[in-house]
Amino acid sequence: MRELKVHKLVLNCCVGEPGDRLTRAGRVLEQLTGQTPVFSKSRLTIRTFGIRRNDKIATSVTVRGHKAEEILERGLKVKEFELRNRNFSDTGNFGFGINEHIDLGIKYDPTTGIYGMDFYVVLKRAGSRIAKRRRAKGRIGKYQTVSKEDAIKWFQQKYEGIVLN
């Protein structure tokens, strides 16, 4: 009942400009996950970066289930199963980034280029739906919530990972 599971894995690739580079980054995420990516818009205009309000500047995909664990394993292999203590949040989630998507096992294509991306993992325990459901909502007790220490312990046990300070 208290074991942790990967609820979802969010892959984010921020290009910082609309246009062709963004669609190619979306294509990379689609190759990796097999799902169509969602494009994110900028909230405000930043002249120095050349970004206008409502320009599409990033793309992301949310992956769940067995496929999420498989992609997470490949991402952690790139990081050599080493994360920092500050990669873990107080709510028991963790994230990290990679510089080159070709390290994940995707073949290099000169027309696409090389993109970095962020991995963000949300962990949960069984019964967390009680707080989210529409009918007969309940509260989750403090021993059922996921803490930072729980997430670090799970990472070290499941992947034999190393947490650096």
Side-chain angles (χ1 to χ4, degrees):
M1 187 74 185
R2 282 186 45 83
E3 70 269 1
L4 290 173
K5 299 180 213 168
V6 175
H7 178 59
K8 63 183 173 183
L9 167 68
V10 181
L11 297 171
N12 180 37
C13 186
C14 185
V15 179
E17 61 185 44
D20 195 38
R21 279 191 65 209
L22 184 65
T23 54
R24 287 188 302 216
R27 205 174 317 129
V28 166
L29 285 179
E30 194 168 355
Q31 277 180 344
L32 184 63
T33 61
Q35 296 175 236
T36 55
V38 175
F39 295 101
S40 304
K41 295 178 179 181
S42 67
R43 283 184 275 172
L44 42 109
T45 302
I46 303 171
R47 264 208 178 136
T48 54
F49 296 149
I51 299 172
R52 287 193 299 259
R53 190 169 187 268
N54 290 332
D55 272 354
K56 292 180 180 178
I57 57 168
T59 180
S60 64
V61 175
T62 301
V63 189
R64 298 173 196 269
H66 179 68
K67 189 177 272 189
E69 292 180 14
E70 178 188 312
I71 295 170
L72 174 63
E73 178 114 24
R74 286 199 281 176
L76 286 170
K77 210 174 281 180
V78 172
K79 297 296 276 186
E80 298 173 348
F81 298 97
E82 286 185 3
L83 293 178
R84 292 175 163 251
N85 193 27
R86 66 174 182 229
N87 288 36
F88 293 87
S89 73
D90 293 333
T91 54
N93 307 321
F94 66 95
F96 59 94
I98 61 168
N99 294 329
E100 298 179 349
H101 74 275
I102 54 174
D103 295 336
L104 296 171
I106 298 175
K107 198 171 176 209
Y108 175 67
D109 183 18
T111 59
T112 304
I114 295 177
Y115 293 97
M117 59 185 68
D118 301 323
F119 286 67
Y120 197 74
V121 182
V122 179
L123 299 175
K124 73 166 188 171
R125 284 201 166 97
S128 63
R129 183 180 163 268
I130 289 171
K132 304 284 184 191
R133 65 188 178 190
R134 188 179 180 120
R135 185 182 166 279
K137 260 187 192 171
R139 291 203 340 234
I140 297 177
K142 74 176 184 182
Y143 293 111
Q144 198 66 7
T145 58
V146 183
S147 68
K148 181 175 185 171
E149 290 76 27
D150 293 336
I152 291 173
K153 193 169 151 189
W154 175 85
F155 171 68
Q156 289 171 335
Q157 283 178 349
K158 180 153 185 173
Y159 296 107
E160 284 109 32
I162 301 164
V163 179
L164 307 169
N165 285 341

